[in-house]
Structure formats: structure tokens, C-alpha cells
Amino acid sequence: MAKKPVRFHLNGSEKAVFVEDGQNLLDMLRRGIGDLTPKYGCGQGTCGTCTVLIDGEPHLSCLTLAETVEGRQLTTTAGLASGNRLHALQAAFMEGFAAQCGYCTPGMLMAAKALLDRNPNPSRQEVVEAISGNICRCTGYEPIINAILEAAKSGDARHYG
Amino acid sequence: MALHRGRGFASINYPIGMNLGGDPSQALVHSNPGGKFMVALSSIDLGQGMKSVTRQIAAETLGVPVEDVYVDTADSDTGPHCMGSFASRGTHRVGNAVIQAALEARSVMLEAAAEELEVDPADLVTDGKGNIHVKGAPSKSITTAEACGAAQFKQGRTVSGRGIFLIPLSEVDPETGEMTPVSCFAHAALIVDVDVDDETGEIDVVQMNSAYELGRALNPRLVEQQLIGGAWMGMSHAAWETTEPYYPERSHGPLDFNEYLMPGPGDIAPHDIAILERPAPDGPFGGKGPGEMCANPVLPAMVNAVFNAVGVRIDELPITPEKILRGIRANGGARPPARRN
Ligand code: FES
Ligand code: FES
């Protein structure tokens, strides 16, 4: 199979990899680069746990062709914390018990980050809409919604990451 | 079209664990030479908090900081036997096994400390911060790490312990049918308010209020989290999820998340929970555990709420719009039962 070179930024650092024809971004990140933070849930765009940011917009990496990220800025959950300092969303998820099995968590964090980056003071309804493409089987969503609102309130959700 | 508000109630009496040939769980606890403790289990954490709660139980029993305890649930091939994480049995069965194992490990740790301090182990206490000292004489002291190190490198002891908790098989009395399958019960009561749309048959869950009695809440935030998530699962079972929509006909079953319906973040309702603590005499520190019963009362309460709203008695789950509309048509319209004040 033909391989294509692709160059992009992942969490601020430059990456250059070869991708196969038709390879999806989730597979490239996990298998090609070893960033295991985006999860594989369904592979068909219905669970949201593979969500990553491309130029700040949330995308389902399982449905994104890897070669289309040429020249773009990618952010995954691995890029949220700065050193030991957790991103405000991560801290709020931890404080608010917003994860049980944790399988949906990376996707929830990325969907929430995209929201807070463009709207630092969202309403509850806006939070619900932002995560409505993400399935959680454990928490009943309530702690996740509350954690995102808490992170927004803490005001430093935009300071880094 | 009209929306009909209805209220449903359900209460449950929930047995902890099961009794198919006896219900055992084992735990093994050992220290490493640095004084950290490992709890080996085969009791899997599905997200409900098995690791957190057994870690707390082990730390409390050993008398060491919770940071010094690791829980490993890696593999049922290499770990001690457990029946499994189901039947709401984890906290109760596994927690008791962990206490037994941790007590044995603690007594070896105290013997090792006593040998180093040249005192009687019966005079030693732990402060829960990583120190062991002579009762009433805190200056005659050794750290738990030093005691575990001495056991390993000087005394040739393993600071370790074995634990098992077993509820033995309860035979059925052939005369009376009587048996004692479980040793404790948890309880819950739940009220749910719904709006039923008599044109579309759709249900909107408006509010839930509940009270759960589950022994001592060993980690109150974990318990609350489990109850909130579990009530969502109950709601989902009641009105969304099904693998065989035309059971016993197997066709039309959903195959993936496109077709398998579950309530999303926009479908949830405010849920106020009161946690009542009535420690179980045979529970680890009095705990029984929330487990499956987080979901159970929601299903009958929702069925009752639909009946209260539009007079349709659903007797097969899930409560689909189709069943509600057929019921309304059969009754000649939405006919809520007369309300008592
Ligand atoms: S794995 Fe991409 S949406 Fe489920
Ligand atoms: S925490 Fe388990 S799926 Fe969300």
C-alpha cells in the first residue's frame, strides 16, 4: 500500500509520519505516534471518545482521514496538562468525580475544551449541547456537566493548553 | 396534544451478594521492603470504585496512610479468587476479605517492629501516618517502612496476610422452603416525576428524588456518584434500552450505538439523593454497598409514573412511545387514574 508523508503539530510539537491510504487519524495517533489518549469506542462516529481538536475544532478522529491533517494543529488529552499542573477541566473532573470507568473522559475533555475556548462562560444548555455527541455509560452525565461548568467558573480554563 | 404530568414511586429491599454454591472472595496483602503495601484482588473495578474503597479499607486496617497502599486487580489468572464484581457484592465480600488479610499483615508488621524496638508487639500502636510506637510513649517509635525493611532484610519475615470472606451455601429446607441466602439487605425508595406527551407517546423525566440506605457510606462522594450514574442506567433501561425490541422475536435488535438508544446529556433530570447510613453488623466498617440497586427502583417508579400520568399500565420494558400510544388508544384517550389528595 502506498504511504504518504504527513506533517503537523501535535500538542505543540512538530510531527512527521507516513500514513497509509485510507488510514484514519485515530489509528495514526494511537498506533503510528503512540498517543493513546484518544480512545477507540465504536470506530463509526457515534460515541465521541476519539474526539481530538484540529485547529481548535472538535473532530472525531475515527472518521477523519489521517492525511487531511497536513499542516494543522492537533490537540489531544495528552496536551492538556502543563507539566504536573492539570488543566482546569482535568482538575474539575477529578474534584467533581466526573469519571467512573474513564473511557469517555478524553473525548469529554476535548469536547469541553473546544467549548470553553470559544465560549468561556457557557450556560448549562450550551454545555449539554457541546457534549451531546459523546456517550457516557457510567456517570449519568450530571457530574460531567457540573465539572465543565466548574472549570468555566474557575476562570483559568483558557490560561494554558 | 397535551402533556400529562405523573408521579411514580417504588421502594426496594435489595440483597447484597448471591448464593449459588457459596459466595467467597479472597484478598492477599503484602508489603514491599520500602513499606508500601500491595493488595492483590481479582475483583475488577468497572468504574464503580472497587479499587478506591478496598484501598481505603486496607489502609485503615493496616494503620498506614492511604497513599502507601496499592490495589492490583490485574488478572484472575494470577490474583486470588473472587466470584466477581456483580450482585452488589464487592464492598461487602471483598472488603471483608481485605480486612482479614490486612489484619494478618499488620500483625507481622507489628512483630517486626517489636523486635526492632525490643518491646512486646501487644504494646504497639500505629498512628495512621506511617509510624508505629509504643502506646503512651510516642518517642519509642519506628516507621512502618523501617519495620517492613527490617522484616525483609534482617529478620527474614514476609509482612503479608491472607483473607477470605465466605457466605456459605444456604440449603433450602425441604419442609418449609426456608433458606438464608444473604446476610444483609440494602434499601431504597425513589419518586420520579414525568411528563407524557399524548400525541407522540414520549416521556420526559422531570425530576427524581430518592433515599438509599446502604450501610455505612465508606466513601460518600463515590457513593453519590454511583447512585447518580446508576439512576441514569435505570432510566435508560426503563424507557430507552433494549436488545430485542420484539422479544421473543429476535429481529430488529440494535447492533451499534447508532441504533442502541440511551438517554443523552439533554435527557437527564435533577436528582436529589438522601443517603441514610445504618451500618451492617457484618459489613466492612459497616458498609453494604450501592451496586445494582442504584438502578433498580427507577424502573418500577417510571412505570408507575406513566400510569399516574395517562392511565396506561406498561407491563413490558422498555416503555416505548409506541406502547404508550397503543395504550392511550385502547383506553379511548389519556385517562389518568383519579388522584387522591
Ligand atoms: S471511536 Fe470515534 S466516535 Fe466512537
Ligand atoms: S465514565 Fe465510563 S463511560 Fe463515562
Side-chain angles (χ1 to χ4, degrees), chain A residues 26 39-50 60 62:
Chain A
L26 177 62
K39 302 291 178 217
Y40 178 95
C42 63
Q44 55 177 201
T46 50
C47 75
T49 193
C50 66
L60 299 171
C62 73

Side-chain angles (χ1 to χ4, degrees), chain A residues 98-105 108 135-139 144:
Chain A
Q100 287 193 27
C101 78
Y103 211 83
C104 68
T105 312
M108 291 288 182
I135 292 177
C136 176
R137 202 73 177 93
C138 306
T139 63
I144 295 174

